Amino acid sequence: RKCVKMNKIKVSIIGATGYVGAELVRGFLGHPFVEIKYLTSRSFAGQKFSDIYPVFRGVCDIECTDTPYETVAQESDLVVTALPHGVSSQTVPVLIENGARVIDHSGDFRYKNLSAYEKSYKLDHPHPELLPKAVYGLPELYRNELKTSKITANPGCYPTCSLTALAPFLKKGLIKTDMI
C-alpha cells in the first residue's frame, strides 16, 4: 500500500477571540490536515490565544495579531471570518481580492436578494455585487457549488436544521411553502 503525504491547508481565522472564533480554533486544532496560520483579533493583538482562553494553554499558544487582511489572504489557503453582520461585508471583499477562499460566519452573504438581506439585518450591504457569487454552505444542497466557491456563507443553526429537514419534501412538492 502506498502512503500519500497530504499538504496541510493554511487556515486563518479573523475574529478568533469571540465565541465563534474560539470554537473554530478548537475544531481546526483537531484536524490533521490544517495548519492555523493567523488568529486575528484587534482587541487582543499581541496576546497568546491561550492567555485569553487558558484551556488552550500548551495546545494553542499562537499569538493573536492585527495583521492586515491583504496579508492574511495572501498567506492562507482558507480564511474563516467570525465577525458581526455588517463587518464581514466590508472584510470579505478584501480577502477574495487577495486570493483567499472565505467561509463567512455572519449573515452578510447568506441572501442572494439584496432587499431580503437589508430587510432581515436592517443594514445596507456595501458589496451587493458579491451576493450572487456566494454559495450557501449546506453541502446537502450545494455540494458541487461549494467545491469551487470563493465565498461560502455559513448557514446558522436554525436554518441548517430547518432546511435539511424540509428540503426533501420541498423538492418532491409534498408540502406547501406559504407557512414556512
Side-chain angles (χ1 to χ4, degrees), residues 143-158:
R143 182 171 310 281
N144 290 329
E145 296 89 340
L146 287 167
K147 291 177 185 177
T148 58
S149 69
K150 283 290 196 183
I151 305 170
T152 298
N154 192 69
C157 53
Y158 294 144

Side-chain angles (χ1 to χ4, degrees), residues 3-163:
C3 183
V4 178
K5 184 179 179 188
M6 296 282 295
N7 290 330
K8 290 191 174 194
I9 298 168
K10 293 177 186 157
V11 175
S12 294
I13 301 169
I14 294 180
T17 55
Y19 175 76
V20 170
E23 289 303 312
L24 288 165
V25 170
R26 181 185 317 278
F28 282 127
L29 283 173
H31 198 293
F33 301 119
V34 168
E35 170 193 337
I36 296 178
K37 181 73 177 168
Y38 289 103
L39 298 178
T40 75
S41 171
R42 292 199 170 137
S43 304
F44 296 100
Q47 295 183 44
K48 289 181 182 178
F49 189 76
S50 57
D51 288 340
I52 301 157
Y53 293 102
V55 70
F56 287 99
R57 195 161 286 131
V59 177
C60 184
D61 297 315
I62 298 170
E63 184 177 305
C64 295
T65 68
D66 192 13
T67 304
Y69 297 150
E70 294 85 353
T71 303
V72 172
Q74 291 164 6
E75 296 182 12
S76 304
D77 299 309
L78 175 67
V79 179
V80 184
T81 59
L83 299 169
H85 311 305
V87 177
S88 280
S89 60
Q90 298 169 29
T91 305
V92 169
V94 174
L95 297 169
I96 62 170
E97 286 168 12
N98 284 278
R101 292 182 73 179
V102 178
I103 298 174
D104 178 48
H105 276 267
S106 78
D108 286 351
F109 294 94
R110 290 178 183 159
Y111 289 94
K112 298 280 187 206
N113 181 290
L114 178 63
S115 62
Y117 168 83
E118 291 177 343
K119 182 180 177 186
S120 293
Y121 291 101
K122 313 283 189 271
L123 296 168
D124 293 327
H125 201 293
H127 292 279
E129 74 280 3
L130 294 177
L131 295 176
K133 296 178 182 181
V135 177
Y136 199 68
L138 270 181
E140 294 82 0
L141 302 178
Y142 302 106
R143 182 171 310 281
N144 290 329
E145 296 89 340
L146 287 167
K147 291 177 185 177
T148 58
S149 69
K150 283 290 196 183
I151 305 170
T152 298
N154 192 69
C157 53
Y158 294 144
T160 297
C161 69
S162 301
L163 291 171

